[in-house]
Each structure stands twice: as C-alpha cells, then as structure tokens.
Amino acid sequence: NEPPMHIECYDISNFSGKEAVASLVVFKNGHPSKKDYRRFRIKTVIGINDYSMMQEVLYRRFSKFTSKRNNQKNPMPNIKTESLPDLILIDGGKGHLNAGLEVLLQLGLSTNIASIAKKEELLYVPHIPEAIIFPRNSEGLFMLQRLRDEAHRFAITFHRNKRSKSMIYSSLDSIVGVGPKKKQKLISKFGSLKGIAQADITDLISVPGITKELAIIIKQSI
C-alpha cells in the first residue's frame, strides 16, 4: 500500500548441502544499510533443503519480534525497539515464498513478503497465484534486482570464506603436533593455507608454540 522504505532480502548459499550459510542485506530509503547486514550459519538442516534453511533463518530472525510483543506490558526503559521491515524479499520462487510465509504465520507477524525468481525475474507475493512481471525498464525491478544480487554476493562471500577456513583446518589436521590452538594462531597470522605454505621457517617459528622441528614438518606437509 505504501513504498517499502525498509527492505530485508535473504539468500541461501551452500555446496551440496555442506557449509550452508544465509545472508541478510538491508536497504533503507533505497540505499544499502551495511551496518544492518547479517550472516547466518545454518544449524538445524542437514542435506540440501533450501526451503527448510530459509525457514530456519527467518524464524531465528523474527521470533524475537514475537517475544518483544509478548513483553510489551513490561517494556525496558531507554531500549530502542527494532521495527519489522516494510518488505521481506527472498531470493527464490514460489516455494521459497510459501516457506517464508509459513514462518510469519507461525509467529503471528504481519508484514509484506515476496520472492524474486532468477532468469525470468518473476516476483511472487501471497494470495496472487500468478507471478508479477515487471517491465524490463522498471525502476522497481532494478531495485529488487539490486537487493537480490547484493544478498547473493554477501552470502557467496561468506560461504567461500567459510569453506576456505574449513580447507585450512582439514589440511592442518593431518599434521601431528598442530592442535586447535596452534591452528588458530597460524590462521590468525598468515590468513590462509597459501599464506602458511609461503611462509619461511623463521616466520613459522615466530608463531607461539611452533618449534623449528614442527615448522619443518608443516612446510613438508602443505
């Protein structure tokens, strides 16, 4: 009924169901509000199930609004309350929309929700069976595409970083004498497996707990 000045967009990223993550990006007054961006690690869904992953994220995000509403009789003073977005946008098709809508209904929350499908750039909203098709030169479509693309970029970046760290840990796991604390110190200092591999013996020894003998083993193992 009114222009959505506060929009939240969600996307899921995973690799064959592994290292699944989700992103939340926020636009306010038509511009990215990066301080409000959020990343989520999927905790409860095993395997490839985008709908369930999206439901987990939306439930984690919006269940607190139900708690706040239930506690309105005894509000805490001087606490700035967070408001629901004017529009929740999901990267996906009609199935993603229905999954998201189910969470809102379960929580008893009322706000606008829609999903945008790639390729055809179709918009789905509740209670309208057919997809909404924007003109290709529509400023509204451009805005939704910007949101969707930004959520996708944010999710992919997080997912790649998570996979990269996982690969570092798995490579270091095979080295006897490099426990969790030493792994963390190596990653903190050199940033990546490539950085560790390129470091010389002197650099490795500078990490607390890494002896010359262990540094030589590390160099030979990665």
Side-chain angles (χ1 to χ4, degrees):
N1 297 325
E2 297 179 354
M5 307 309 292
H6 175 186
I7 308 175
E8 294 188 359
C9 185
Y10 294 81
D11 186 29
I12 300 291
S13 179
N14 67 84
F15 180 73
S16 300
K18 298 178 180 178
E19 304 287 353
V21 300
S23 66
L24 155 62
V25 302
V26 181
F27 274 31
K28 292 182 177 179
N29 300 316
H31 300 284
S33 180
K34 293 193 175 183
K35 67 181 179 63
D36 296 312
Y37 285 18
R38 298 288 183 272
R39 289 164 168 160
F40 302 84
R41 289 181 174 86
I42 302 301
K43 298 178 178 179
T44 63
V45 181
I46 299 173
I48 304 174
N49 190 328
D50 273 15
Y51 298 161
S52 294
M53 291 178 185
M54 184 61 70
Q55 287 186 320
E56 177 191 324
V57 170
L58 293 178
Y59 187 86
R60 285 164 58 187
R61 167 67 177 142
F62 292 108
S63 58
K64 64 181 180 182
F65 287 91
T66 303
S67 301
K68 286 179 181 178
R69 187 173 60 185
N70 292 339
N71 292 328
Q72 281 181 349
K73 293 182 179 179
N74 298 301
M76 296 181 67
N78 302 321
I79 299 295
K80 185 179 180 181
T81 56
E82 189 178 6
S83 60
L84 282 168
D86 302 318
L87 172 64
I88 298 168
L89 182 65
I90 297 173
D91 180 15
K94 197 166 187 177
H96 291 85
L97 171 69
N98 291 335
L101 182 60
E102 186 178 321
V103 173
L104 294 182
L105 292 173
Q106 181 182 352
L107 294 173
L109 299 176
S110 178
T111 191
N112 296 300
I113 185 170
S115 65
I116 181 169
K118 292 185 180 72
K119 294 183 180 179
E120 296 87 359
E121 304 291 27
L122 304 176
L123 189 76
Y124 293 95
V125 297
H127 314 304
I128 299 180
E130 299 81 15
I132 297 173
I133 303 175
F134 283 85
R136 288 298 174 178
N137 61 349
S138 164
E139 293 292 340
L141 176 61
F142 295 157
M143 173 64 70
L144 298 177
Q145 288 173 325
R146 281 184 63 204
L147 275 152
R148 188 267 319 283
D149 293 346
E150 178 70 349
H152 185 67
R153 178 199 66 79
F154 198 51
I156 287 292
T157 300
F158 184 37
H159 184 243
R160 284 175 179 167
N161 290 342
K162 198 165 181 285
R163 284 181 61 197
S164 177
K165 287 185 177 180
S166 177
M167 289 172 64
I168 293 171
Y169 274 97
S170 62
S171 297
L172 294 175
D173 278 338
S174 62
I175 303 175
V176 177
V178 180
K181 291 183 179 179
K182 290 176 184 176
K183 289 178 203 171
Q184 186 59 53
K185 289 175 182 176
L186 286 165
I187 293 167
S188 297
K189 184 171 179 64
F190 300 108
S192 67
L193 192 63
K194 183 178 180 180
I196 297 171
Q198 291 178 343
D200 58 30
I201 298 295
T202 303
D203 291 331
L204 292 173
I205 293 173
S206 69
V207 176
I210 304 298
T211 64
K212 183 176 181 180
E213 291 76 14
L214 186 53
I216 293 171
I217 294 173
I218 292 172
K219 290 290 290 182
Q220 293 173 341
S221 301
I222 60 176

